[in-house]
Amino acid sequence: MSGVYQRFGVRTIINASGPATRLSGSIMAPEVAEAMAEAGRSCVDIAELQAAASSVIARHTGAEAGYVTSGAAAGLLLGTAACVTGLDPTRMNRLPDTTGMKSRVVMARSHRNFYDHAVRSVGIELVEIGISDRFSGAGVRDAEPWEYAAAIDDDTAAVVYVAYAHTQPELSAVVEVAHAASVPVIVDAAGQLPPASNLSRFLAEGADLVAFSGGKAIAGPQSSGILAGRRELIQAAALQHLDLDILWDQWNPPAGLIDKSRLPGAPHHGIGRPCKVGKEEIVGLLTALERFVEEGDDARRARWLEHMRQLAEAAGSLPGAEVELRDDPKRAAIPAVHVQIDEDACGKTALDVVRALQDGDPSVHANPSHVREGVVAFGPMCLKDGEPEVVGRRLREVLGG
Ligand SMILES: *Cc1c(COP(=O)(O)O)cnc(C)c1O
């Protein structure tokens, strides 16, 4: 199982947290891994493969077109670049110098996060609106649609919206003010799957582009993602991502992806070139996407819940800690186990427990997001059969159960 890692002297870990990049993402199904291996055994025209991917992504998202990226962050970069340049190859060649282009991108302060490096790297000016009163506890309101409207001007290339279950304002209200000024809306929906219905939801609510991670719930290759949305923007994204080092008269791009007749010439290696995608990732992502849709939310949830049950059962009752199986679908799309640590009773903080699990053998990674509230959290998305029991046993050992 761990042969390749052993060969390079790297231990495998138990990922009881989730598909974080630092923990190497999710685990691919054998069919996905086999599809990638097979893809690696033949060469194809990469644009033709992306055109085929566009159809598959369009079918599952309701988008006009789609594209396989090297992750959601790459999707944000390509989407932003597409909104800034349109189909103008001169502009594409000039990025990240945005002189003379629409180059302001509007974002609510409460949506800001360090993944927006991908947006900023295009050379835009990020315009923040609103104050995060709701998050600081000082107020009840987040950014409001009128504040987007006030910030949008003739130089605005796009609005970037980060979708979480708790995100305010509503996407449809932001789309309304942005579209009133003919400004496209890019949605970062990297981790917003499941439910599978979210594949089409943000576009149905009016988003022009939406970016998903391929290496999270879809369980595709870790360095894959989806960009879906308006055909013209996907075309502009593709032009700044594909290797177009080819003679113009020789160039025959697939009509499903690129309309050559609309271009005065082809851009050179674009701003998206550093986040290139291989045939293996494209085929792996498409295979994983089809499996993700086919399995369905209920079966996936049942599979995840079973692992969380096994983990809670193996942990049993612990001295100085309360084990809670969180299985209410209304509270969380993904089941979880929360272990509330009573620091006085067990002499350890939640962070101590997270570290002891991580530094033990095998190394078990819990989700540290709630340690300040004394909670060690566990998620099912990257656990393999047999591992929940090991996590429960390690918890008993660490807490002296
Ligand atoms: C995970 C995540 C990303 C990055 O996704 P990648 O597929 O790893 O590039 C971007 N934005 C948000 C909100 C995320 O959760």
Side-chain angles (χ1 to χ4, degrees):
M1 273 296 273
S2 59
V4 283
Y5 291 119
Q6 238 163 26
R7 187 150 65 85
F8 294 111
V10 175
R11 70 203 159 130
T12 54
I13 60 173
I14 294 181
N15 181 354
S17 177
T21 296
R22 75 188 166 84
L23 301 177
S24 72
S26 46
I27 292 174
M28 295 190 298
E31 294 93 310
V32 178
E34 279 154 24
M36 287 183 77
E38 192 183 331
R41 287 195 281 267
S42 303
C43 282
V44 294
D45 181 304
I46 202 82
E48 199 179 311
L49 183 55
Q50 282 283 15
S54 179
S55 308
V56 175
I57 293 168
R59 187 159 70 243
H60 290 299
T61 59
E64 290 173 9
Y67 198 76
V68 180
T69 64
S70 59
L76 296 176
L77 185 156
L78 291 170
T80 303
C83 292
V84 167
T85 63
L87 290 178
D88 182 343
T90 306
R91 293 179 172 190
M92 292 176 186
N93 282 345
R94 213 189 302 137
L95 289 185
D97 174 0
T98 57
T99 309
M101 310 176 204
K102 291 188 180 199
S103 60
R104 297 169 81 247
V105 173
V106 176
M107 253 184 114
R109 278 198 174 80
S110 58
H111 295 207
R112 288 291 318 276
N113 63 82
F114 278 110
Y115 293 113
D116 62 43
H117 261 118
V119 174
R120 288 181 281 141
S121 64
V122 174
I124 55 93
E125 175 199 350
L126 195 69
V127 179
E128 292 186 346
I129 59 155
I131 292 285
S132 309
D133 266 354
R134 214 160 53 99
F135 291 96
S136 68
V140 297
R141 288 186 297 162
D142 204 318
E144 295 179 284
W146 66 266
E147 293 176 284
Y148 283 88
I152 289 171
D153 65 12
D154 289 344
D155 287 327
T156 305
V159 168
V160 170
Y161 182 99
V162 182
Y164 281 104
H166 60 260
T167 299
Q168 290 290 313
E170 296 293 323
L171 175 60
S172 52
V174 174
V175 164
E176 193 178 326
V177 294
H179 285 185
S182 302
V183 169
V185 177
I186 303 170
V187 173
D188 176 356
Q192 298 310 295
L193 301 171
S197 56
N198 276 359
L199 281 168
S200 58
R201 174 184 153 195
F202 306 108
L203 294 166
E205 288 176 1
D208 299 271
L209 286 172
V210 58
F212 296 102
S213 292
K216 292 179 178 167
I218 293 175
Q222 161 61 2
S223 52
S224 72
I226 293 171
L227 184 65
R230 279 174 40 206
R231 179 172 298 285
E232 173 138 345
L233 292 172
I234 294 295
Q235 179 170 341
L239 286 164
Q240 300 181 77
H241 184 255
L242 292 170
D243 170 8
L244 301 181
D245 198 2
I246 183 173
L247 298 174
W248 176 255
D249 292 328
Q250 177 196 1
W251 187 41
N252 250 337
L257 189 65
I258 291 169
D259 181 357
K260 188 180 177 186
S261 72
R262 294 189 61 191
L263 300 167
H268 294 260
H269 293 293
I271 191 147
R273 181 62 175 75
C275 43
K276 79 171 174 188
V277 182
K279 54 191 179 301
E280 300 83 1
E281 279 76 24
I282 298 173
V283 166
L285 182 277
L286 296 179
T287 307
L289 175 63
E290 286 179 331
R291 290 186 85 257
F292 174 81
V293 172
E294 211 166 283
E295 178 174 35
D297 292 337
D298 291 346
R300 184 164 30 246
R301 197 184 160 78
R303 175 165 60 83
W304 284 343
L305 185 55
E306 182 54 24
H307 273 169
M308 289 291 91
R309 275 215 190 91
Q310 289 165 357
L311 193 159
E313 207 173 287
S317 66
L318 296 164
E322 196 79 46
V323 179
E324 183 202 357
L325 177 65
R326 293 164 69 100
D327 59 356
D328 179 0
K330 284 194 206 74
R331 274 201 308 180
I334 299 160
V337 168
H338 278 197
V339 179
Q340 179 80 50
I341 306 293
D342 181 344
E343 191 181 336
D344 296 333
C346 71
K348 286 187 176 73
T349 65
L351 180 58
D352 291 336
V353 174
V354 166
R355 287 171 48 187
L357 290 171
Q358 166 190 296
D359 296 341
D361 185 17
S363 174
V364 171
H365 286 259
N367 174 358
S369 301
H370 306 286
V371 291
R372 276 179 222 86
E373 301 119 66
V375 171
V376 181
F378 298 94
M381 291 169 73
C382 306
L383 284 172
K384 296 193 277 193
D385 286 347
E387 289 182 339
E389 289 85 350
V390 179
V391 178
R393 193 189 72 221
R394 284 293 301 140
L395 255 177
R396 294 189 72 75
E397 287 166 6
V398 167
L399 288 166

